[in-house]
Amino acid sequence: MSARRQHAWTLGFFLLVSALFTWPLVTAPLSIHVSRQFDLYSLLWLVDAMGSTDAGLHYSQTSWPVGESLNRMDSFLIAGLAWMGHGLLSGRLLASLLAILGPVISAFAAERVAATHFGARWPYSIIAGLSYAFSGMAATALLEGHVYALLNPWLPLLLGALLRTLGPIGSSRDGAWAALWWVLCLLTSAYTGIAATILVLVVALSSRFWRREDWRPAITAGMGMLAVGLAYAALFAHSGSAVRDPTEGMATDPLKVMMAGSVHLDSLASWTGIMDLHLHSVTGTLGFCVLVLSLISPLVLGRVHGMLVALAVTGILLSFGPLIQLSDGGLNLPAPVSLMALLGDKASFFNFPSRMLWIAHLALGILAAVVATHLAERVDRRWCLALLALAVVDSLAGTGTPFRTARVSHAVPSVYAQAPAGRAILELRPEFGSFGTDLALLTNNLGCAYQSAHGRPLANQCMGTTVGAGTRSLGRWLNTAVYQRALLRDVPQALGEMGFGAVVVRPDLYAEQDRRAVIGVLTQVLGEPLGQSTDAGEYLVMFAVPEITTTPAGRLAQYARIKAAYP
Amino acid sequence: MRFLIPLLALLLISASGSSSAWAADNQIIDMQVSLPSRSAYVALELEVTRLGTKHSIRLRDDGSVPNDLPHDGIWNGRLSGTYSRLISVRVFGHRDSGSPELLYSGVERTEDTRHVLLGWRVMRTNQRYTAVRTPLSYPGNVAEMFVALPLISGFGWGMFILLYVGMLVRLSRRGGEE
């Protein structure tokens, strides 16, 4: 079979697996998404925000009236695509394309690297693609909603380019390619950038490149990575405390927060229902086919493949986070990441150690493909082809994606269309407490995603892993006013001065007596509701705020007063 | 490349026709509560607020609700209607006599447009009863709320692969000797 035909078969095969992996997304890619958590809503907002005319590193239409810095967006690559598209590419379309086609491209890159640099033969090289792009971490990205992580051919390409760069005939050009792939990893997401950096360190140490006479290829790669890395870090640090808003838990015990984003020993084997309900869908499934083939590799290959084993072990160890736990508790052996406790509060920058598992998925997949190739040379080919089928079952049943994916509507409640044009919307939510942080973030992010349809400025801060401090302050102020009559008189005036034109309430989220109180008090001070809707899956009640002519400085002064009083 | 065309065509066709692909009026929410065999309650009731409307659902364990196995300790109830992303739920237990006791209250995510499965387990702590949310195994319709079912199946699958690859290694060695 010609190489071109082999590539076509490989791509078609991965496309078919991807359709099953993301099922039922392929049946309605513009009207539904399949994520179970809420990160996707921020992505939809970001894509549409970057496509707007005033897009940049500061966006004025959310976190109203101060706006919010976008310096710490997770994926500069996707934001760049959206910015260049200038609204031609909707958030929904881009998210669905990333979810369905991203794994296909990533898997193809891993398959090619396994074949080109490690001697895996087709069709066994396909195992590398399945292990990398249809893995536990891929399921996590799909179900959590950060689907941009699924389009990551850069990590396998980086591995291939590094091997050339640090090999005996490496050139400066190879070094430049390695730097480019590393930069694209970093721009895909900060965590992918960290994983890529760890991959670079492990490969560099394994290759012992310092024994070479010509250091130019390594210096070219290193300087390229260093320059972009420093610029990225400077941009990240520049956004300052205005964006970073650590919760009390992050400040007092960052390692405890980190455990929620870590992999447990049981999750390396398979998924459980607990993951979706309490563990943010973090799935570490390695795949038994890949694991068993890798474990017997010394027996089949006659040697230990040091670099791939080092990559796999490093990735798995780091993904455990501070403690190696059997299952969300139990065992509790200290892991290398526990040393990050020395960083104190700053350790909360590394809240999702699980994402280091991408390195292990790649390394184990390549090793398994090489072992399968060796076995196929000595055993009847038909027996070995079954390994491909086993790897597909691992990708689908092991991660559980076809059963765990949801079918969530993209529809937007109709009540938003009635909000006064050009004035901001304040979404009022109850205090969720420490048990309801996910629910608070879900409703906050949903509001952000709706903005692309209604186009009004919004009080919600849409970037970050917690509800923004300003958004929380405004909510606390208004919720407090419900039970403190003395505050009530100021509400319409203060809202109007800050430029708000409407308050939207989700009554179902409140306890019964509070529900009546909130609606009653808002009716008393703002008048009968402007509108309400029960379409698109939400019961929303909207109140109009009287228009008050104000200056930007006046808006900010009123906002600052409330933020200081209700921190 | 020829076989890629039908796959891409499927993607495009589904994208163009997807606006009407979800039905807004037939979401089914199945609710299951596991009750200890010697508990004091003779009946369980759910109070669900969905899209601003309150619903009272009497749970059953007599086989009269779809997918319910009679007298297995899993009490079932079903609510269907217009699509809702979030519902607020209160679980009440009824004794032989006396007023209902509140066992749980909270807001639940019901974002799947077709079918949502929610589960609770009633537990006895300090001589009192309380209910906690618990994940259910998929697919549903099992007699037990067996959370670790996929994990246990996974280990069985892993054992099968170990045996299969072990057989391949043995065959490869035999081939080498010949």
Side-chain angles (χ1 to χ4, degrees):
Chain A
M1 194 186 293
S2 71
R4 182 180 281 188
R5 190 171 273 252
Q6 277 183 3
H7 296 339
W9 272 106
T10 307
L11 281 168
F13 178 74
F14 286 144
L15 192 58
L16 194 63
V17 175
S18 184
L20 296 172
F21 192 76
T22 58
W23 193 263
L25 185 60
V26 75
T27 62
L30 289 181
S31 60
I32 63 162
H33 70 78
V34 295
S35 299
R36 290 185 73 95
Q37 308 300 335
F38 39 78
D39 295 2
L40 188 84
Y41 298 121
S42 297
L43 176 68
L44 297 176
W45 161 79
L46 180 67
V47 170
D48 291 323
M50 292 304 288
S52 67
T53 48
D54 65 339
L57 287 177
H58 184 86
Y59 187 58
S60 63
Q61 300 298 295
T62 49
S63 201
W64 184 266
V66 285
E68 69 178 299
S69 164
L70 305 186
N71 287 18
R72 286 184 181 173
M73 68 176 85
D74 204 20
S75 183
F76 281 90
L77 198 66
I78 298 309
L81 275 177
W83 184 74
M84 285 189 290
H86 270 291
L88 289 176
L89 209 54
S90 77
R92 294 176 190 182
L93 178 61
L94 186 60
S96 292
L97 286 175
L98 286 170
I100 296 168
L101 298 181
V104 176
I105 298 165
S106 304
F108 188 64
E111 186 271 337
R112 283 294 79 214
V113 169
T116 312
H117 296 279
F118 294 89
R121 287 217 196 108
W122 194 85
Y124 307 103
S125 53
I126 287 174
I127 293 174
L130 288 171
S131 165
Y132 175 63
F134 301 98
S135 56
M137 274 302 101
T140 308
L142 182 71
L143 296 171
E144 284 191 339
H146 48 93
V147 289
Y148 44 81
L150 294 170
L151 177 66
N152 186 10
W154 330 120
L155 198 66
L157 289 172
L158 171 65
L159 177 61
L162 271 177
L163 290 174
R164 281 197 308 273
T165 306
L166 304 175
I169 52 166
S171 65
S172 294
R173 188 181 163 146
D174 293 327
W177 277 112
L180 175 67
W181 302 135
W182 181 86
V183 168
L184 287 170
C185 281
L186 182 68
L187 297 182
T188 295
S189 94
Y191 283 100
T192 315
I194 297 171
T197 307
I198 290 162
L199 182 139
V200 170
L201 291 174
V202 172
V203 174
L205 287 173
S206 302
S207 70
R208 299 181 183 178
F209 71 94
W210 52 85
R211 290 183 177 179
R212 285 189 54 190
E213 284 184 12
D214 185 5
W215 281 33
R216 277 175 300 181
I219 289 173
T220 308
M223 293 306 287
M225 293 174 194
L226 193 67
V228 179
L230 286 175
Y232 183 91
L235 187 68
F236 198 73
H238 182 67
S239 59
S241 58
V243 170
R244 186 159 181 270
D245 182 29
T247 60
E248 203 174 307
M250 284 179 186
T252 52
D253 192 355
L255 295 192
K256 199 173 176 184
V257 177
M258 207 184 278
M259 280 313 299
S262 301
V263 161
H264 309 124
L265 280 169
D266 68 337
S267 68
L268 294 178
S270 181
W271 65 282
T272 63
I274 292 277
M275 289 171 182
D276 294 325
L277 193 60
H278 298 302
L279 300 176
H280 215 261
S281 296
V282 174
T283 314
T285 313
L286 293 172
F288 280 105
C289 182
V290 163
L291 196 60
V292 169
L293 286 171
S294 299
L295 285 173
I296 62 155
S297 63
L299 212 63
V300 177
L301 304 178
R303 68 188 178 97
V304 174
H305 201 303
M307 189 197 69
L308 289 177
V309 170
L311 280 172
V313 170
T314 309
I316 292 171
L317 266 180
L318 292 176
S319 71
F320 286 134
L323 292 172
I324 300 175
Q325 292 188 323
L326 265 180
S327 168
D328 199 25
L331 204 62
N332 292 324
L333 295 173
V337 175
S338 59
L339 292 173
M340 290 190 75
L342 299 172
L343 296 175
D345 168 40
K346 294 204 167 41
S348 66
F349 280 119
F350 192 62
N351 271 347
F352 299 97
S354 58
R355 295 182 194 172
M356 299 305 106
L357 207 60
W358 280 109
I359 313 171
H361 286 315
L362 178 62
L364 289 175
I366 292 172
L367 193 51
V370 173
V371 172
T373 302
H374 274 71
L375 282 174
E377 286 168 359
R378 285 179 273 176
V379 184
D380 189 334
R381 194 181 142 95
R382 283 169 299 181
W383 289 104
C384 288
L385 280 176
L387 290 171
L388 279 175
L390 299 181
V392 171
V393 174
D394 271 343
S395 289
L396 299 176
T399 61
T401 44
F403 317 115
R404 294 166 69 196
T405 48
R407 187 187 176 97
V408 183
S409 166
H410 276 306
V412 177
S414 56
V415 77
Y416 285 102
Q418 298 176 47
R423 293 165 64 205
I425 294 174
L426 172 63
E427 297 197 330
L428 184 62
R429 287 176 284 271
E431 296 276 336
F432 286 101
S434 57
F435 281 95
T437 48
D438 276 7
L439 208 51
L441 210 49
L442 165 70
T443 49
N444 179 76
N445 293 0
L446 253 179
C448 295
Y450 293 155
Q451 193 192 34
S452 54
H454 63 71
R456 274 79 167 173
L458 203 59
N460 302 18
Q461 181 181 307
C462 296
M463 189 162 287
T465 51
T466 55
V467 176
T471 316
R472 280 204 306 266
S473 294
L474 288 172
R476 277 178 188 160
W477 163 66
L478 207 47
N479 276 324
T480 307
V482 170
Y483 286 118
Q484 291 189 15
R485 300 273 157 169
L487 290 171
L488 274 181
R489 284 192 308 273
D490 300 334
V491 166
Q493 178 78 16
L495 283 171
E497 282 179 7
M498 284 187 284
F500 287 106
V503 175
V504 173
V505 187
R506 290 178 164 83
D508 286 357
L509 297 181
Y510 285 88
E512 194 170 352
Q513 68 278 12
D514 293 335
R515 193 180 304 157
R516 282 197 297 268
V518 168
I519 297 295
V521 166
L522 288 178
T523 305
Q524 186 187 332
V525 296
L526 297 173
E528 287 296 320
L530 181 65
Q532 56 182 3
S533 65
T534 54
D535 56 350
E538 291 210 83
Y539 172 43
L540 300 178
V541 180
M542 178 183 280
F543 294 89
V545 175
E547 188 166 8
I548 293 173
T549 310
T550 177
T551 61
R555 271 185 218 151
L556 294 176
Q558 184 64 267
Y559 174 79
R561 186 182 66 77
I562 290 171
K563 201 176 166 199
Y566 298 88
Chain B
M1 292 295 279
R2 265 173 293 175
F3 62 89
L4 281 176
I5 295 168
L7 283 169
L8 288 170
L10 173 68
L11 189 65
L12 288 172
I13 290 166
S14 58
S16 60
S18 64
S19 57
S20 59
W22 69 282
D25 56 355
N26 60 351
Q27 185 191 38
I28 294 169
I29 303 176
D30 278 328
M31 289 160 281
Q32 299 186 344
V33 180
S34 168
L35 194 63
S37 55
R38 290 182 184 172
S39 83
Y41 301 114
V42 294
L44 292 170
E45 189 179 3
L46 296 181
E47 184 191 281
V48 178
T49 306
R50 183 193 208 192
L51 300 175
T53 307
K54 199 185 287 182
H55 304 266
S56 184
I57 300 159
R58 198 85 169 179
L59 299 184
R60 303 278 186 180
D61 189 22
D62 56 4
S64 61
V65 176
N67 298 333
D68 180 42
L69 295 173
H71 313 299
D72 64 345
I74 310 290
W75 294 63
N76 284 270
R78 172 172 280 192
L79 183 65
S80 57
T82 311
Y83 173 58
S84 60
R85 289 181 192 276
L86 296 161
I87 58 173
S88 77
V89 181
R90 295 207 286 173
V91 180
F92 292 97
H94 292 267
R95 293 178 190 261
D96 269 333
S97 57
S99 60
E101 291 174 20
L102 179 66
L103 300 174
Y104 173 90
S105 63
V107 175
E108 308 301 334
R109 296 175 59 181
T110 53
E111 290 170 285
D112 197 300
T113 54
R114 297 163 303 175
H115 184 236
V116 179
L117 196 57
L118 301 172
W120 290 264
R121 183 182 293 279
V122 177
M123 299 163 66
R124 188 170 182 156
T125 50
N126 299 326
Q127 308 302 314
R128 295 193 62 181
Y129 288 97
T130 185
V132 292
R133 266 283 275 127
T134 180
L136 303 178
S137 58
Y138 281 89
N141 196 19
V142 287
E144 290 288 333
M145 292 184 175
F146 211 13
V147 176
L149 197 62
L151 189 61
I152 293 166
S153 314
F155 277 112
W157 170 249
M159 190 59 75
F160 168 74
I161 291 182
L162 189 63
L163 289 172
Y164 188 83
V165 174
M167 181 200 75
L168 287 183
V169 173
R170 192 171 168 78
L171 282 174
S172 73
R173 294 199 150 181
R174 194 181 289 170
E177 282 165 14
E178 284 169 4

